[in-house]
């Protein structure tokens, strides 16, 4: 053990196998260095301490089977190197709603990040890797905001990850969300197609705005249940932009309740008194053809009890 409560290691040379062919270098390192802070991984990449076939390379480089990756000696504190807490591991394992030899789907709890970073040490992927130390491959197939609950897909093989990514790029994965919006909405269905653009404030906070120069974004809303001053809607996405549903809902004048970034402060305060402690956005279902056309795959994630309790209170107050 190094001085100051640090652990150190030697240079490692790892040959990339077929299971990791085509994977980004940064994601490969994060998978190999379980429990190591993401900041350390990107720092050694910037410094050129990670080499592929003896050459410097960028984080986005796609690896090929047979490549030799040089990983520099680790020197991180024991605290930083700790694996995901056992409680989080158990919670995520208990949240799995579908698993086969290719894919795994978690009903992600609200408030749990999909991966560590930005002040969060561990997320879903770190918890699963820690609880399954002998798993040869495990990668996120997409993302959900930290406060959003529901269906989160992971791939257990490189081939499965590629297939899922191709399906998403082609718009062939039907993603349906449930959201509770501020306001009593009359119309049954509407299509939001305002283009969205990411912005970074002086504080460093990332926000997304409607902007004519932004990327195309399409969300299809449908009213499911109306309350006195709130409306439960179903949302199906045709695109998958950052904060898409949250920004489209706010642009409509009916922000998602419990949303601290794009929501209505007074409405959020009232709903907090009703028991809503988080963003009311839930990835309710996924539908797609898998693994070949004609084999229809569908999975649904039950609404979390804390969100269902809010709906029950609203229904009882009408």
């Amino acid at each position: 053990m190094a001085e100051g409560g640090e652990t150190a290691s030697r240079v490692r040379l790892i040959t990339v196998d077929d299971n990791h062919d085509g994977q980004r270098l940064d994601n490969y390192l994060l998978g190999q260095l379980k429990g190591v802070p993401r900041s350390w991984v990107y720092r050694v990449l910037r410094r050129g301490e990670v080499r592929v076939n003896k050459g410097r390379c960028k984080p986005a480089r796609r690896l090929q089977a047979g490549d030799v990756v040089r990983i520099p000696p680790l020197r991180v504190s024991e605290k930083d190197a700790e694996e995901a807490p056992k409680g989080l591991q158990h919670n995520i394992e208990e949240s799995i709603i579908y698993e086969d030899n290719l894919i795994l789907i978690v009903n992600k709890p609200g408030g749990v990040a999909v991966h560590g970073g930005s002040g969060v040490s561990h997320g879903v992927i770190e918890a699963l890797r820690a609880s399954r130390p002998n798993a040869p491959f495990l990668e996120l197939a997409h993302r959900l905001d930290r406060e959003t609950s529901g269906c989160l897909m992971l791939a257990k093989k490189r081939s499965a990850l590629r297939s899922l990514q191709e399906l998403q790029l082609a718009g062939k994965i039907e993603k349906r969300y449930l959201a509770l919006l501020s306001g009593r909405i009359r119309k049954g269905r509407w299509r939001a197609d305002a283009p969205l653009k990411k912005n970074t404030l002086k504080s460093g906070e990332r926000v997304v705005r409607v902007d004519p120069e932004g990327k195309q974004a399409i969300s299809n809303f449908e009213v499911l249940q109306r309350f006195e001053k709130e409306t439960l809607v179903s949302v199906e996405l045709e695109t998958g932009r950052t904060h898409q549903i949250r920004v489209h809902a706010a642009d409509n004048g009916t922000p998602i309740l419990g949303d601290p970034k794009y929501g209505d402060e007074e409405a959020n305060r009232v709903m907090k008194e009703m028991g809503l402690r988080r963003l009311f956005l839930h990835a309710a279902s996924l539908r797609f053809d898998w693994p070949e056309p004609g084999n229809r795959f569908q999975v649904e994630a039950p609404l979390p009890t804390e969100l269902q309790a809010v709906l029950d209170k609203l229904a009882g107050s009408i």
Side-chain angles (χ1 to χ4, degrees), residues 181-182 185 187 190-197 208-212 215 217-219 221 243-257 259 261-264:
L181 306 187
S182 177
I185 304 171
K187 50 191 173 183
W190 75 96
R191 185 174 188 263
D193 59 2
L196 304 179
K197 185 176 182 179
V208 177
R209 305 292 189 201
V210 171
D211 190 313
K215 294 182 179 180
I218 301 173
S219 308
F221 292 78
H243 298 173
Q244 179 174 319
I245 298 175
R246 298 165 68 181
V247 179
H248 275 166
D251 187 58
N252 187 58
T254 55
I256 299 178
L257 289 163
D259 189 342
K261 188 183 292 283
Y262 306 104
D264 181 283

Side-chain angles (χ1 to χ4, degrees), residues 74-88:
L74 280 172
R75 188 171 291 276
V76 296
S77 69
E78 290 181 288
K79 179 179 179 181
D80 286 340
E82 288 178 357
E83 67 176 24
K86 295 294 184 183
L88 177 61

Side-chain angles (χ1 to χ4, degrees), residues 145-302:
D145 290 344
R146 181 178 178 182
E147 293 304 318
T148 302
S149 56
C151 295
L152 178 68
M153 296 185 294
L154 298 96
K156 297 171 67 176
K157 290 186 178 181
R158 166 61 48 185
S159 58
L161 180 62
R162 287 176 179 161
S163 296
L164 289 171
Q165 291 174 336
E166 289 170 0
L167 287 170
Q168 291 182 95
L169 286 172
K172 294 182 178 180
I173 295 184
E174 300 173 28
K175 299 178 180 179
R176 187 176 70 91
Y177 292 74
L178 294 176
L180 185 65
L181 306 187
S182 177
R184 185 174 169 85
I185 304 171
R186 292 184 179 181
K187 50 191 173 183
R189 297 181 181 180
W190 75 96
R191 185 174 188 263
D193 59 2
L196 304 179
K197 185 176 182 179
K198 293 180 184 178
N199 297 275
T200 302
L201 304 179
K202 291 182 179 179
S203 63
E205 180 184 6
R206 185 180 64 174
V207 297
V208 177
R209 305 292 189 201
V210 171
D211 190 313
E213 297 181 357
K215 294 182 179 180
Q216 181 188 41
I218 301 173
S219 308
N220 295 299
F221 292 78
E222 180 179 3
V223 172
L224 297 181
Q225 187 175 5
R226 294 193 298 164
F227 303 100
E228 185 176 354
K229 295 180 180 179
E230 307 82 17
T231 305
L232 179 68
V233 299
S234 171
V235 191
E236 292 198 5
L237 301 182
E238 292 185 29
T239 56
R241 307 302 179 198
T242 300
H243 298 173
Q244 179 174 319
I245 298 175
R246 298 165 68 181
V247 179
H248 275 166
D251 187 58
N252 187 58
T254 55
I256 299 178
L257 289 163
D259 189 342
K261 188 183 292 283
Y262 306 104
D264 181 283
E265 186 174 342
E266 177 58 23
N268 288 346
R269 185 191 63 77
V270 172
M271 290 307 300
K272 190 172 184 178
E273 294 177 356
M274 295 284 290
L276 183 61
R277 309 292 180 184
R278 47 158 287 206
L279 176 74
F280 199 121
L281 182 60
H282 178 69
S285 67
L286 295 165
R287 296 190 296 271
F288 53 93
D289 289 330
W290 179 265
E292 63 222 0
N295 185 8
R296 191 65 168 168
F297 179 92
Q298 178 171 336
V299 64
E300 297 187 359

Side-chain angles (χ1 to χ4, degrees), residues 10-18 20-33 40-41 44-45 48-73:
R10 298 178 180 179
V11 169
R12 296 167 58 191
L13 296 176
I14 303 177
T15 301
V16 177
D17 59 24
D18 291 337
H20 294 88
D21 183 63
Q23 186 175 23
R24 282 175 53 124
L25 175 60
D26 53 356
N27 290 332
Y28 178 77
L29 291 172
L30 290 167
Q32 294 293 320
L33 302 170
W40 184 91
V41 171
V44 295
L45 279 167
E49 295 179 47
V50 175
R51 303 292 178 98
V52 176
N53 301 330
K54 299 183 179 180
R56 297 181 63 153
C57 42
K58 295 182 179 180
R61 171 169 175 161
R62 296 287 177 179
L63 297 173
Q64 296 181 348
D67 283 346
V68 177
V69 180
R70 176 196 185 275
I71 300 178

